[in-house]
Amino acid sequence: MILGHIGVRAGSKGLPGKNMKLLLGKPLLQWSLDQLLEHPLIDAVVVSTDGADMLKFATDRGAIDIGLRPDELANDTASKWDVWRHALSAVEEVTGKSVSVFVDVDATAPLRQSVDITKAIELFQAEKPDMVMTCAIADRNPYFNLMEADETGALHVSKPLPGNVVARQQAPVVYEHAASTYVLDPAYLRRGTFLYDGRVIPCVVPSDRAHDIDAIEDFEYAEWRLSRQMSESKK
């Protein structure tokens, strides 16, 4: 069973109530939930939450009901990893089925496209790593234009190379963590304790689809971007 997972908390300091805030007439959560429910490679979907309204919203649409997450996983210091492990165990217990692939998508990444999920799953199946995670090519590069101050306050390139990097094209490629899609081997999730405990490989997505909503400005940008996409698709 390929399991699709979304983790959403009722609380949010950056944008209170963001997961159920209407984005072009649909709660933010629904954009990702529909994407998983409609995806041809996803066999089942679960939403891990501490919000009764979000749990009902998800289960009414066909998500597996695992109840509300434990209190220790319902605060802003709870790790994504522990939430994933709890959801994996709860789903297998409720359904009596083994999960072969665990796919997590963030509700705060509504600009993700279905093809991004497909690409990440297919890369996981082809390369067989411990985990695939979506990334974007970083705009800033520690070999070229990211700097640190030394003990005297003088600036230096964060990761200097012999001969110095004088053009961006000479710098090694670095990735920005796009909090969008993760595809994991359940065995890795059970034995690991952190995202990078094993062999984790990137699935590169366009930077304009790697946008994460944390504040009202992010929400407004996503609203504008989705409106534009929908308008262009009608032409």
Side-chain angles (χ1 to χ4, degrees):
M1 176 171 64
I2 297 182
L3 177 68
H5 170 273
I6 303 173
V8 283
R9 290 193 305 110
S12 171
K13 292 180 179 178
L15 182 58
K18 66 182 177 183
N19 291 308
M20 292 301 285
K21 183 176 174 62
L22 294 183
L23 175 62
L24 299 183
K26 295 197 305 187
L28 179 60
L29 169 60
Q30 189 175 351
W31 288 89
S32 295
L33 181 59
D34 286 350
Q35 207 166 52
L36 286 180
L37 290 170
E38 296 167 6
H39 199 284
L41 297 180
I42 301 293
D43 299 311
V45 176
V46 65
V47 171
S48 171
T49 182
D50 60 333
D53 59 335
M54 291 186 283
L55 178 63
K56 185 177 187 305
F57 184 85
T59 55
D60 283 351
R61 282 158 179 75
I64 297 170
D65 187 352
I66 60 170
L68 297 176
R69 68 170 68 162
D71 290 342
E72 64 270 20
L73 298 179
N75 55 62
D76 56 9
T77 61
S79 74
K80 181 186 289 286
W81 195 264
D82 289 338
V83 170
W84 286 351
R85 291 180 73 169
H86 171 264
L88 171 64
S89 177
V91 165
E92 291 187 331
E93 182 176 348
V94 167
T95 65
K97 298 179 180 179
S98 296
V99 175
S100 57
V101 181
F102 186 92
V103 180
D104 175 80
V105 300
D106 278 18
T108 53
L111 297 180
R112 175 201 316 102
Q113 293 186 7
S114 182
V115 67
D116 299 327
I117 298 174
T118 301
K119 183 179 178 182
I121 293 174
E122 290 180 345
L123 179 61
F124 177 84
Q125 292 173 331
E127 296 295 328
K128 295 179 172 52
D130 290 313
M131 181 170 75
V132 167
M133 62 185 290
T134 48
C135 299
I137 302 300
D139 290 332
R140 296 288 182 264
N141 193 302
Y143 296 95
F144 177 56
N145 55 7
L146 285 181
M147 296 165 287
E148 298 176 23
D150 64 18
E151 63 277 4
T152 72
L155 292 175
H156 302 274
V157 173
S158 292
K159 298 186 71 171
L161 291 175
N164 298 317
V165 174
V166 297
R168 183 180 178 85
Q169 293 78 7
Q170 297 174 342
V173 173
V174 294
Y175 301 102
E176 177 182 345
H177 180 179
S180 172
T181 306
Y182 309 80
V183 184
L184 298 86
D185 179 345
Y188 172 54
L189 183 51
R190 291 188 183 95
R191 73 172 184 271
T193 59
F194 181 60
L195 287 179
Y196 307 108
D197 270 349
R199 181 172 178 250
V200 180
I201 65 174
C203 176
V204 180
V205 297
S207 58
D208 62 358
R209 300 214 292 265
H211 183 71
D212 184 58
I213 293 177
D214 188 51
I216 187 61
E217 294 82 8
D218 304 319
F219 194 93
E220 291 171 347
Y221 172 80
E223 197 166 41
W224 169 78
R225 190 85 196 181
L226 284 168
S227 296
R228 182 176 176 183
Q229 288 177 4
M230 293 168 69
S231 176
E232 290 175 348
S233 68
K234 293 177 182 178
K235 292 181 180 179

